[in-house]
Each structure stands twice: as C-alpha cells, then as structure tokens.
Amino acid sequence: MGNGANVFFLLMGAILVFAMHGGFAFLEVGTVRQKNQVNALVKILADFAVSVTVYFLVGYLIAYGIDFYASAADIVSDDQGLGLVKFFFLVTFAAAIPAIISGGVAERMRFVPQLVASAAIVAVAYPLLEGVVWNGNFGIQAWLADTFGNPLNDFAGSVVVHAFGGWVALGAVLQLGPRLGRYGADGRATPPSSIPWLALGSWLLCIGWFGFNVMSAQSLEAVSGLVAMNSLMAMVGGILAALVVGKADAGYIHNGALAGLVAVCAGSNVMHPAGSFVVGAIAGVIFVKGFEFCQNRLKVDDVLGVWPLHGLCGAWGGIAAGIFGLTSLGGLGGVSFMSQLVGTLGGVVFAFVVGLVVYGVLKAVVGLRLSPEDERRGADLAVHRISASPEADR
Amino acid sequence: MGNGANVFFLLMGAILVFAMHGGFAFLEVGTVRQKNQVNALVKILADFAVSVTVYFLVGYLIAYGIDFYASAADIVSDDQGLGLVKFFFLVTFAAAIPAIISGGVAERMRFVPQLVASAAIVAVAYPLLEGVVWNGNFGIQAWLADTFGNPLNDFAGSVVVHAFGGWVALGAVLQLGPRLGRYGADGRATPPSSIPWLALGSWLLCIGWFGFNVMSAQSLEAVSGLVAMNSLMAMVGGILAALVVGKADAGYIHNGALAGLVAVCAGSNVMHPAGSFVVGAIAGVIFVKGFEFCQNRLKVDDVLGVWPLHGLCGAWGGIAAGIFGLTSLGGLGGVSFMSQLVGTLGGVVFAFVVGLVVYGVLKAVVGLRLSPEDERRGADLAVHRISASPEADR
Amino acid sequence: MGNGANVFFLLMGAILVFAMHGGFAFLEVGTVRQKNQVNALVKILADFAVSVTVYFLVGYLIAYGIDFYASAADIVSDDQGLGLVKFFFLVTFAAAIPAIISGGVAERMRFVPQLVASAAIVAVAYPLLEGVVWNGNFGIQAWLADTFGNPLNDFAGSVVVHAFGGWVALGAVLQLGPRLGRYGADGRATPPSSIPWLALGSWLLCIGWFGFNVMSAQSLEAVSGLVAMNSLMAMVGGILAALVVGKADAGYIHNGALAGLVAVCAGSNVMHPAGSFVVGAIAGVIFVKGFEFCQNRLKVDDVLGVWPLHGLCGAWGGIAAGIFGLTSLGGLGGVSFMSQLVGTLGGVVFAFVVGLVVYGVLKAVVGLRLSPEDERRGADLAVHRISASPEADR
Amino acid sequence: MKIVMAIIKPFKLDEVRDALTSVGVHGLTVTEVKGYGRQKGHTEIYRGTEYAVSFLPKLKIEVAVSDPAVDKVIEAITTAAKTGQIGDGKIFVYSIEHAVRIRTGETDDAAL
Amino acid sequence: MKIVMAIIKPFKLDEVRDALTSVGVHGLTVTEVKGYGRQKGHTEIYRGTEYAVSFLPKLKIEVAVSDPAVDKVIEAITTAAKTGQIGDGKIFVYSIEHAVRIRTGETDDAAL
Amino acid sequence: MKIVMAIIKPFKLDEVRDALTSVGVHGLTVTEVKGYGRQKGHTEIYRGTEYAVSFLPKLKIEVAVSDPAVDKVIEAITTAAKTGQIGDGKIFVYSIEHAVRIRTGETDDAAL
Ligand SMILES: Nc1ncnc2c1ncn2[C@@H]1O[C@H](COP(=O)(O)OP(=O)(O)O)[C@@H](O)[C@H]1O
Ligand SMILES: Nc1ncnc2c1ncn2[C@@H]1O[C@H](COP(=O)(O)OP(=O)(O)O)[C@@H](O)[C@H]1O
Ligand SMILES: Nc1ncnc2c1ncn2[C@@H]1O[C@H](COP(=O)(O)OP(=O)(O)O)[C@@H](O)[C@H]1O
C-alpha cells in the first residue's frame, strides 16, 4: 500500500472532520435565538482559522514534536506529504475544542476574548493532553500500562477531544455566568430559533463523524471496519435512547445521535457492535438526563448542552471502553478498566482547570461578557452589525 | 489491493449513502407544510435507527446468511473488518426503504405505527427481495439466467431499492388515504413550505448517490468508472427533461435529477453514457407525467411523489437496463430484456403486496392516521410538541 | 497501485467538486433578494446539466482530443473506466464557469439566454484555454517553458477556472448592466436575504474545494499532502485577513475563505504552507478591497462579487505561484515568475473578451435582461412561477 | 362609512372572503395577528423545558363599507367564520370619516 | 385627533415616509398586510398544480395626527403613494379620543 | 365600547398582558409592526455597504373594552409598558359601535 493511498485516506478523514465544523456552526445557528445566528456562524469560522494558525505555529510541536519551520521540500519529505495531511487531519480535531466551547458560551460572550481563549487552548492546553495520550509524552501512558496492564485506549478522542472540550466549556460557562433573564426570579428558558437548521448541523456532524472515527487509524494498514460499524451502532443506540427517554423531542433525538458518537470514540476499535449500541444508548440517556440536570438543577447556562454532550458522554465513553472492550463482553480486549477510569478522570480534571483558569484570567483582564445592552440587542447587531435576515429588516 | 483499501472504499460509499438520508429528511422538510417539518426530520432519523437495529438483528441474516452473534474478534476476522463495512454500506440501502415511504405518507401518518411498519419491512420483506436478487437466494436468479440467458441485472438497486420502496409506499398511501382537504368537493393541493430546503435535500441526495451507485461494486477490483459516468449522464438527462417538460418548475427540476439517478441504478454498469442520458431523460419525463397522473387522475395523495419517483422510475430503470445494456445500443451486453422485465415486474408486485399487507394489518390493529384534530394542528405540535421555528411562536 | 484505486480517488474528487455546485447555489440563494432565490437554485442545476452535455459532446474533445463516440466497451478500455471518471472530474470544473458567472448576473438575467451562454462557453471557450494550459495544446506552454524556463503552473485552476470564470463574468455583467435601482440618483444597494443560507453555500464550497485541489493530481502516484495543507493554510489566511480587514463582517469572512482557496489553486503544489497562508491572506484583502472598488467606484453590479473573488483572486493566485513557489521563499521551485505573469494575463484577457463577445452577441440577438416588470416581481415568479416560500404566500 | 374589523381563525379566510364577495364587498385587508382570549394556547417542549405559547395565530380582516352595508357584512362574516368552538373570534365596527382611493383621488363611498 | 390609516404598495414606503416627514409628521406605525381588491393576484405553479395567490402584499401605515393636520397628511400620502396603476390602495380616516405617550404620560396632541 | 390600541416595545408584551389580566381584561389581539418615531433605528453593514434600518420592531396591542374600563386599561398599559426610555410607544383610544362574538352571536359588552 503506497503513501499515495494513505494520503488519500487521511485527506478524506480531514475533509469529513472539517465538514463537522460546518455542523457545529449550524447546530448553534438553529439552537440560539435569531439575534445570535450570525455570530454563531462567524465564531465557528474564525475559531477554526485561529486554531489552525496556532496549532501550526506551536500546538503540533508541543503534541508531536514536529514543526514546519523548514523548506517545502523538507517538510514534504519522500512520503508524498503524508505527514502534512496528518497535520490537516489532526488540526481539525484540535479546532473542534473551540467549536465545542462555542456552543456553551453562546449568546453573551464577547468575540475577541473568545478568539484569544481559543488560541490559548489550542496552542498549549489541548496539545499537552493530546501529546500525553496519543504521543506518549511525559511517560504517563507508559505508567498506566505498567500499573494497570494497558495504557488509556482513546482511539478517536472521547476523552482527548470531547471530554476535554466539554469540561473546558463547563469552566468557561461558569466564569461567564448565565444569559440575562435565564435564571433568577423572572428567569426563563428560551426556545431555539429553528429546528431545521439545528437538524442540518446534527446531520453534518453525524456524517463527518465517520471520518473522525475511522480515519483515526491514520493508515490503510490500520483501518478497521469494526470502528465504522461500532460508530454506526452507537449512533443508532443514542438515537433510540434519546427518542424513548426524551419522548420524541426533536432536540433530544438530534443530540442523541451525537451523544452516541461522542461515547463510542474511545472504544470503537475494541468493542463489539452490540456493546457499542449499548454504550451509545447509555450516552443518549446521559445526555437527556444530564442536560436537564445541568439546566434545571445546577442552573448552569450551557446553551447547547455541550457539557452533558461532550463532557459527560465523552467521559462515559472513556470509561465504557474499559468495560465493553473486555473480551468477556465480546470485545477485542487489550484495555484495562482502571487505565480508562484514571485516564478519563485525569483528562476531565485537567480540562476543567484549564477552562476555569483561561476564562478566569481573561475575565479578570479584559472581561468576557457583552454589555447588557449588546446582549439584549443580540451579538449579530452588536458585533457584526447585521442580522441573519437583513433583507427583512428594512 | 489490500483489505484496508476496500474497507476505505466501502466506508466512503456508506458515508455517502448515509448522507442521502439527510437528503431525504430535507427534501421532505421543504415539501410538506410548515406544521409538519419537525416530524419529517424526526421520522427520518428514527426510521434510520430502527432500520439499522432490525437489519443488524435479522435482516442481514435473511438476505446474506450472515449474523453478528459472535465475539468482536470473530466477526472482524482477518480482513480488517471488511465484512462489517459491507454491512454498514448495505444497511444504508435497507434504511432507504422507510425513508422513501416517509415522503409518501407524510403529514397524516402516526409516528409509532410508521416505526413498526419500517421495522417489519426492513427486517423481513426487503431482505427477502435483496437476497433473491443480490445473493441468489431461492435460485430465482439462476432460473432467470437459465430461462432468458442472463439473471436480472440490478447493479445498484433500481428495482431492489427504489421500485421496491416506491411500490410499498403506494400500498401504504392507499391504505392511509389522502390528507384532509386534499380531494373531494373542496379539495385542493397545498404548496410546499420551502424551495431552498427541498433543494438542499435534492442536493444531498444527488451527491450521495454517486456513492450509492459506484460503491455498489463493493470492491476496488470491481469498481468501474463507467458507473460513475453513467450516473452523471442519467442525472443530467433527468434534469434537462424535467426542465423542458416541467417548464422550469423548481419542483420538477430538483426531482428530475433524482429520477435520472433512480433509473440508472440498475444498468449503470452496462450501459453507454449516451444511453444513460436517454434513460435518465425518459425517467425525467416519467416523473413529471407520472406525478400529475398520480395526483390528478388516480387521486392518490403521495405527498412527495415517491411512487412516480422511485416506483415508476425504478421500474423503468430495471427494464431500461435490458434495452440500453445491449451491445447493439452501445452497451456492454450480458443482460437479457426478458430477465429485466420479468424480474422488475416480480419485484414490483411483491413490493405492492407488502405495502398493502403491512399497512393494512397495522390499520386494522392499531390504526394509521393521526386524529383529524392532530392532523389539522400538524404533526409537529401533535407528536413532538414543538414547531419548526419555536422562537417565533412566542 | 491499481486502476481501481485511482478510479476511487478521482471519483471522490468529482463528488467533492460536484458538491461545490450545491455550494454555488446556496451562496447565491442567501445573497440575492428573496424574490430571486428559486431562480438561483434552478439556474445552477440547469447550468450544470447543460455544461455536462456540451462538454460531453464537444468540449472534452476540444481540450483533450478525447471523445465518447464509441461503444461502452471501447470507452471503458482496460483501465476500469479511469478515463471516464477523469471526464467526470474535469467536467465538474468546466461546469464551475457558468456557476461563477451566475452569481454576477443574478437577479436580472433572462434564463434561456443564460443557458445558451453557458453552453457556448463550456463547449468551446473554456476548453480552448483548458487545453492550452493543461494539455499543452497549440504549443503555448512549450513556448512559455522555452522562453521563461518553466510553463505556466496552474495546478488546480486559479487561472484556468477561477480567473477565467471571473473575467468572463465581468464581461457579462458589463453587457448586462446593473439591476434596476442599484445605481443612479436613487440607487442603493440591497442587503442579502439570508446569512445562514449563504454561509451554507460557503461551507459546501470550502469542503468540496479540497477535492478540487488535491484530486487535481489525478492519480494516487501524483497526490501530494502538500496540496492539502496549502489549501488549508490559504483558506485560513483568507478567513483571518477578511475578518480583520472586513471588521468581522459576515459576508467578508465567508467569502474570505473562498478567496484564499481561489488563490491557492495555482501554486498549491509548489508553495510552502506559510507561503500559502500569506497568499490566502492577501487574497482575503484583495476580495474585501476589490469588492468595494467594484461596487462603489466602478459601479459594476456584480451581485455576489464574483469578479473580485474569482477574477482578481484567481489572477493573484496565478501570479503568486511564481513568487511563493520559488525555492528562495521556501517553495519547491520549478516555476517562473514571468510564465505565471504572462500566462495569467493571457488567460484574463482571453476570458474578458469571451465574456464581452458571448454576452454581447446574445444581447444583440435575443436580449439579456428580464423585462423591468419581471425584474421587479423577481425572477422566481417571472420565470418559475413560484416563490421561495410558497406556503406563506397564500 | 364604517370599518368592520374581524378577528377570525386562519383557516376560515377563504370562506369569509367568499361570503363577503357574495354580499358585494370587493376589497379587504388581512393581517396576521396573535390572539389571546378564552381559547387557551398550548405548551411546547424542547429538551425537557416547557414553553407556554399563550398567543394563538389569528387573522384580522378589515373591510371598509358604506353604512347601509354594515349589517349584511357582519352577518356574512359571522356565518362564514363560525365553527361554534371557542376562539372563533370577534367583530368590531367603527366609523370612519373619510376614505380616499389613492389611485384616482375618489373619496368616501366611491373610494371603497 | 385622528388616525390616518393608509394601505399602500410596499415599495412606496420610503417615499411615503419622506412625504410625511416633510409635512411635519414624526411618527408612524407600519404593518405588513395582505390586500384583496380590484388588483388581481397571480398564480403560482408547483409540480403541475396551480395555486391562486389572491392576496397581495401591501403595507398599512397608521399615523395619529391632530385634526388640523389631517388634510395635508392625506395629501402627502396620496401624492407619494400614487403610481396610477390599479392597487395603489386606500386611505381611511377616523377619530380618536385619547392619545398617550407611554414614556412621559403626556396626553392628546402632546403625545403625538 | 372603545378600542384601546397601544404600540409597545416587544419585550414588554408579557408584562402588559399580565397587567391587563389583573384589571379584568381577558382578551386582546397583538400584531407585529414596525415603528418610526423619535427613537432612532440602526445601521447594518454588509460587505462594506451600510443599510439604514429606520423602522424598529414594535408590537401593537388592541383591546376592546367597555367604556367604564377604559381608564384603568390605559393606566395598566402605561405602567407595564414604561421603561422611561425613548420609544416606549403610544396609546390611542377610539370608539366602536358594535362588537360581536362570532361563536355565540352575543353583541356589544357581552361580546368582549
Ligand atoms: N377584548 C378583546 N379585545 C381585542 N381582541 C379580543 C378581545 N377578546 C378576544 N379577542 C380576540 O378574539 C380572539 C378569540 O377570543 P376568545 O376569547 O379566545 O374566544 P371567543 O371568540 O370564542 O370568545 C382572541 O384570540 C383575540 O384575538
Ligand atoms: N373595502 C375595503 N376595505 C378595506 N381595504 C380595502 C378595501 N378595498 C380595497 N382595500 C385595500 O386596498 C388595496 C387596493 O385596492 P384595489 O381594489 O386592489 O385597488 P385600488 O386601490 O386601485 O382601488 C387592497 O389590496 C386592499 O388591501
Ligand atoms: N404619530 C404617530 N402615529 C402612529 N404611531 C406613532 C406615532 N408616533 C409614534 N408612533 C409609534 O410609537 C413608537 C414610539 O414612538 P417614538 O417617537 O419613537 O418614542 P416615544 O414613544 O418615546 O415618543 C413609534 O415607533 C411608532 O410605532
């Protein structure tokens, strides 16, 4: 199998995950109020661009020790630029972190501080975790393997990407505080602006997710149909569970698919399809219950529910790989429950601290929130000076 | 060519056909009235999940004699899980049946009975036909080959998927009856809610269709550029014919592309591109005329026109492969007109009976229709308790 | 590497570029006024179909000397129909020309004359340029190579596709004149109908663009990860520059991504990623400034800004490859600045003349514009007799 | 002259217009409104949170008529718009002092 | 005080507003409405089925003015909204008994 | 009977409705309108071109009430709709001669 085929393989993965960023954008467009739709779109695009830039400059170096400070001939080397597509593929993962956070802090966060936070996290914090888990940095994986028998198995990033993003987002949302009028005496929830737009976001995410998971093999030699089928089954489990537990709620079913996919990332290479179905179904339930808990008990105003979706279901996925990956449950084995548990908890704690610190520092230094007046007018007019349907404004 | 490359190849096919399901969803969103848009979205997702589940449990076993009741190690075997991606690819075809039917029964069908019908059809009825045509079950293909010289050539499912889905849908629509106020003294047609949304659906379907057709080769050894080019030419023929015959009607042109693609599935591996263009163009005309015949003469309230689109154009495609596949018409040969005719008619009759029976039994046992009051309010509020633009409802 | 793999590779390229046509459609839907949304959708689809038909009949023959006037067996030959997928891939490029022009002439151009213009350009004019640059026709590339050391390097069509399309569009727009009420005493600009729809168009274009660029290698042996990474970096550069220079304007940032991608096509195979970033960023600035110059100084009513986007940024890309492709700037070399400059200018002049002549002749013979009354009612009602949201019209 | 203003259920529009046409009314103006009254709204639910939708979609119809025509116009609307179910709506009548047809400058009854 | 209520063609809004401003009117309220009258609607067609669109988009303008200003307001609207083509719309005038500016509580002419 | 018509800021709707309910009003009709007045609009910008948005979203509330109730209704709306900032809106009151409840045929005060 030549390098050309692997370049092609990873390229398709990168394109698919890039398409997921469109999904993040439209999921947010449909979920926020109309006065913040333009901001949702611009944020995702701008965050993506900032993320690629900083990951190119330092992030990739931190995670994998590879830089691009050499001539084109040198960085292409003799493998048809396979290493460069690898960067493309991995940077679409890195850029998912701000895209996840974006959904939590929507509708009241200032634009420039958010870009700065994205830069800090993608340049340094995420690559640190990524390097530890996927590149063996600091010997932590080796230590887990020594101690519990196997390293943390996080095949496609339930922990590295989703739990990390979700828990950073929780820290960010806590620093930011709820939207005006969300809680308190007269507080009330706001309904989403458009189900079709959020459904489109969910579809783009689901479609791209198969690239996220399967192409995480990073080469045709390592690719496995099991990952594809497990992703499918977990998504289906998430849909059905959210349908039943969420009582045919349009928001839950479209997020249930995503919950299943978040949870299956870690163990998709080792679980049985039936196990993946169960993992996805449990994730669907976790999302439904977790979202209500977060909104109504914790009174944390995480607009899209990114903490329950990515944070909780990602953590569940990390742990679940240590259960359903076992041969006794039909899995391929090679995973240790304790490594999964410890590794997941470690990632979660790190992420939460990162979220609190990065957004806490920004809050102290420049402030995070739109002025109340701007928040009331909406970020579209306040930040971008245009509404989502300008022709209709007259 | 290694298994990894074939896993990749089939995976991309599966992803593309999965994306078509998003297309089904948005085509329905744009075509139905606004009060049924959410239901369209939820139905497609739920139908997909139910389909995968039952096909995993029994359907695939019926069609191909393969089950997944073994450990992950056993089902992956030593081909990098190629068989599992094959399942993924084929289940996206199976799940297209309820997605097709959904467009016919839209706006008045109850939600749970529809899921039950989907389960029954995807678990048993569809796999029976699929197994006969694509796995040689029951020796019917062998008999056709003995009798007429060649078996039924249905490369990518004009008959197995589209004609089957379309004729089941006709049976379903007949059992269900028309929407309130559609026919009768004061009856009148309702205009679609949104051309952009239905156009998006059509685009997603067209894009994914190239995976539907080309990846039906199921391996890189068997892949043929001819299939890709024929699909393109038939789509283009369908667009142009619908444009001219349909007088630049936005609905017809977007469906004309689909009509051409439906018809080319069967013979895309044996026809000449010019022949495919003609087959697609005729399909475009069939759709335009068939839709008006169905709506105005037969007074069958097939909302999206899935019977003319999939049923009639699918049957035409099955037969057309026996004409334009002949070497005398520039084709590659290896097809018999009589096998195509007999096979297609057999599939059509089977499908129509399945539709009448499955929906007839459900009608007798639990009832198919929303209450008149729920139908008037719309399935969105009645079933999902939310409208498509909740923020605007206040 | 077998032919099957190359068929697959080029097929994915073709599908991705085909998806870009959906992007063109929705970019136009969101940017025009609501009364012209349906027309935008129908135009792109009809233009695509006409383009494929004429390119199949004569265009491909003009560019590459290949026709399909033989039996299926002969045209498939023994390479699994690789040549046919090549046609599919290249025809999606050819069809981009009318899709580009469409955005310039939107909202007042008659439908049938536009189809005729598309046919003429895709059948003859575009293939002439394409054949010269990519097939060495007429020995012009050889002459450039003799004279300046290297032929024109236009890897994925900054000049052949984008500059050509953009400058033809400028000619077309000049012949057509501005929309009623756009300039003059009471003249004023009209805001776009929908930011989410135009953003969707931009996303589809960005996603498909990676196929446009990377698959231009046309074989797995020739594929290079450098092209993928350069495309990414240029897109990111375009986004960031448009964000800053355009002051977080939603229109600019979504077009900035496209500007970067237009400009990187030519030199994506030879530039360094950092160079590509710079090229993209400059393109972002060119688009912002060029659009304002075109609209407010030149008073040329290019509705979507296709001349600044494709025409100016495409030309910049052609020239930039001769700068940033040099080894002294980290590139792979093998390019000559003078070849890039002369080749680009030649392409631009040819395109501009083609635009003026084709639309000029049509204007003289049949007329280009909708009647003032039809323009006021909008092309949707005038041409297609339906509006974008028919249910809401009552 | 009077303006007869009616709030009706949206799906009754065609019947009301036909009834008005048949009593000689050839012009009217329709506005989409939201009504609050005895007829209760509904509750929507999204991801576990309920949203009370207390305003219901209604149509407001305004017809300017000459004084003698008022009664038959009221009669026509009442008959056509009635379902007998709560929420059928109201009719209000008030006097206008001038009417002008913009196109011709005709005034009062001639303008209707 | 009176309310001058006018139904006009949508694209005339800016001209009407400018005309009103120039006769000293500094406030008005605009509503999107659908009109039915002598001006005929159009027919839309989707997949072979025709849909009669009998209501046309119009704008309703409401201006509260003091009695002496009524005539010049009518005059201003008539002139600005006129195209001479069928469907230009109507003006209706009726009396109001009170007016209140919510912000200040000012009443009647002072509230306009 | 009178109709009390108020133009208010959109986000005040719930407060106004509650205030009206508490003074015994059980029905009202709401219309989305655009207002022009002392409160200035804003400017939008798209690809370097500015668009003046001079009309602001407002809601029009219409309440038909019996004569004795008019003052407390005005009072209720004024209090609930007031922010003290420019653009709070206006209240206009005019007489109606008839009211009919379509469902029952009840007339005048009984119809409200
Ligand atoms: N006092 C009122 N003033 C203005 N509009 C009213 C009033 N009462 C009712 N309406 C309008 O009439 C509609 C129907 O009234 P409702 O009380 O629900 O039922 P019914 O017409 O059967 O008495 C309401 O939705 C509202 O639009
Ligand atoms: N009797 C009426 N009552 C209320 N509105 C009317 C009446 N007649 C006409 N209109 C409004 O005026 C608009 C223009 O009227 P129409 O008869 O089409 O043309 P014209 O204004 O030239 O006479 C209509 O669309 C409708 O909104
Ligand atoms: N003369 C008028 N006639 C009709 N509506 C008016 C008039 N003046 C103001 N309005 C309405 O009242 C709203 C508020 O008026 P504005 O002058 O902006 O502030 P304020 O209410 O504080 O005086 C306007 O947006 C408009 O809808």
Side-chain angles (χ1 to χ4, degrees), chain A residues 278-291:
Chain A
V278 174
V279 168
I282 292 173
V285 176
I286 289 174
F287 178 70
V288 171
K289 297 297 175 195
F291 183 79

mmCIF file of all heavy atoms in Angstrom, chain A residues 278-291:
data_model
loop_
_atom_site.group_PDB
_atom_site.id
_atom_site.type_symbol
_atom_site.label_atom_id
_atom_site.label_comp_id
_atom_site.label_asym_id
_atom_site.label_seq_id
_atom_site.Cartn_x
_atom_site.Cartn_y
_atom_site.Cartn_z
ATOM 1 N N VAL A 278 -25.067 -0.480 23.080
ATOM 2 C CA VAL A 278 -25.408 -0.227 24.488
ATOM 3 C C VAL A 278 -24.699 1.041 24.984
ATOM 4 O O VAL A 278 -25.308 1.889 25.650
ATOM 5 C CB VAL A 278 -25.034 -1.442 25.357
ATOM 6 C CG1 VAL A 278 -25.250 -1.120 26.834
ATOM 7 C CG2 VAL A 278 -25.853 -2.654 24.943
ATOM 8 N N VAL A 279 -23.423 1.175 24.649
ATOM 9 C CA VAL A 279 -22.679 2.362 25.072
ATOM 10 C C VAL A 279 -23.348 3.626 24.531
ATOM 11 O O VAL A 279 -23.517 4.631 25.224
ATOM 12 C CB VAL A 279 -21.206 2.278 24.599
ATOM 13 C CG1 VAL A 279 -20.493 3.618 24.779
ATOM 14 C CG2 VAL A 279 -20.483 1.179 25.363
ATOM 15 N N GLY A 280 -23.756 3.566 23.262
ATOM 16 C CA GLY A 280 -24.427 4.717 22.655
ATOM 17 C C GLY A 280 -25.770 4.997 23.306
ATOM 18 O O GLY A 280 -26.129 6.156 23.549
ATOM 19 N N ALA A 281 -26.503 3.938 23.589
ATOM 20 C CA ALA A 281 -27.824 4.123 24.200
ATOM 21 C C ALA A 281 -27.684 4.755 25.581
ATOM 22 O O ALA A 281 -28.432 5.669 25.940
ATOM 23 C CB ALA A 281 -28.565 2.787 24.284
ATOM 24 N N ILE A 282 -26.712 4.267 26.349
ATOM 25 C CA ILE A 282 -26.498 4.867 27.673
ATOM 26 C C ILE A 282 -26.103 6.336 27.524
ATOM 27 O O ILE A 282 -26.573 7.202 28.269
ATOM 28 C CB ILE A 282 -25.437 4.056 28.460
ATOM 29 C CG1 ILE A 282 -26.009 2.671 28.792
ATOM 30 C CG2 ILE A 282 -25.014 4.799 29.726
ATOM 31 C CD1 ILE A 282 -25.013 1.713 29.415
ATOM 32 N N ALA A 283 -25.289 6.619 26.522
ATOM 33 C CA ALA A 283 -24.904 8.016 26.288
ATOM 34 C C ALA A 283 -26.141 8.862 25.965
ATOM 35 O O ALA A 283 -26.261 10.002 26.416
ATOM 36 C CB ALA A 283 -23.883 8.106 25.157
ATOM 37 N N GLY A 284 -27.058 8.292 25.197
ATOM 38 C CA GLY A 284 -28.295 9.024 24.890
ATOM 39 C C GLY A 284 -29.046 9.385 26.163
ATOM 40 O O GLY A 284 -29.522 10.512 26.327
ATOM 41 N N VAL A 285 -29.103 8.429 27.071
ATOM 42 C CA VAL A 285 -29.790 8.685 28.349
ATOM 43 C C VAL A 285 -29.009 9.713 29.165
ATOM 44 O O VAL A 285 -29.588 10.631 29.758
ATOM 45 C CB VAL A 285 -29.954 7.377 29.149
ATOM 46 C CG1 VAL A 285 -30.576 7.666 30.513
ATOM 47 C CG2 VAL A 285 -30.803 6.381 28.366
ATOM 48 N N ILE A 286 -27.694 9.555 29.198
ATOM 49 C CA ILE A 286 -26.864 10.511 29.947
ATOM 50 C C ILE A 286 -27.104 11.921 29.423
ATOM 51 O O ILE A 286 -27.249 12.876 30.190
ATOM 52 C CB ILE A 286 -25.360 10.152 29.816
ATOM 53 C CG1 ILE A 286 -25.068 8.875 30.600
ATOM 54 C CG2 ILE A 286 -24.483 11.315 30.300
ATOM 55 C CD1 ILE A 286 -23.629 8.367 30.417
ATOM 56 N N PHE A 287 -27.174 12.067 28.108
ATOM 57 C CA PHE A 287 -27.385 13.407 27.589
ATOM 58 C C PHE A 287 -28.726 13.976 28.028
ATOM 59 O O PHE A 287 -28.804 15.097 28.532
ATOM 60 C CB PHE A 287 -27.272 13.465 26.058
ATOM 61 C CG PHE A 287 -27.536 14.856 25.569
ATOM 62 C CD1 PHE A 287 -26.622 15.870 25.809
ATOM 63 C CD2 PHE A 287 -28.734 15.194 24.947
ATOM 64 C CE1 PHE A 287 -26.879 17.184 25.429
ATOM 65 C CE2 PHE A 287 -29.001 16.502 24.575
ATOM 66 C CZ PHE A 287 -28.064 17.499 24.811
ATOM 67 N N VAL A 288 -29.773 13.193 27.880
ATOM 68 C CA VAL A 288 -31.102 13.692 28.231
ATOM 69 C C VAL A 288 -31.165 14.082 29.717
ATOM 70 O O VAL A 288 -31.582 15.180 30.070
ATOM 71 C CB VAL A 288 -32.186 12.646 27.897
ATOM 72 C CG1 VAL A 288 -33.539 13.062 28.461
ATOM 73 C CG2 VAL A 288 -32.272 12.446 26.385
ATOM 74 N N LYS A 289 -30.724 13.164 30.544
ATOM 75 C CA LYS A 289 -30.784 13.430 31.986
ATOM 76 C C LYS A 289 -29.769 14.500 32.388
ATOM 77 O O LYS A 289 -30.035 15.361 33.227
ATOM 78 C CB LYS A 289 -30.504 12.140 32.777
ATOM 79 C CG LYS A 289 -31.545 11.050 32.553
ATOM 80 C CD LYS A 289 -32.919 11.487 33.045
ATOM 81 C CE LYS A 289 -33.997 10.472 32.711
ATOM 82 N NZ LYS A 289 -35.356 11.048 32.851
ATOM 83 N N GLY A 290 -28.603 14.419 31.824
ATOM 84 C CA GLY A 290 -27.533 15.362 32.160
ATOM 85 C C GLY A 290 -27.890 16.778 31.748
ATOM 86 O O GLY A 290 -27.590 17.748 32.450
ATOM 87 N N PHE A 291 -28.545 16.898 30.611
ATOM 88 C CA PHE A 291 -28.925 18.224 30.157
ATOM 89 C C PHE A 291 -29.936 18.844 31.118
ATOM 90 O O PHE A 291 -29.802 19.998 31.507
ATOM 91 C CB PHE A 291 -29.515 18.148 28.744
ATOM 92 C CG PHE A 291 -29.872 19.486 28.186
ATOM 93 C CD1 PHE A 291 -28.893 20.313 27.671
ATOM 94 C CD2 PHE A 291 -31.184 19.931 28.199
ATOM 95 C CE1 PHE A 291 -29.215 21.570 27.164
ATOM 96 C CE2 PHE A 291 -31.515 21.183 27.693
ATOM 97 C CZ PHE A 291 -30.530 22.005 27.181
#
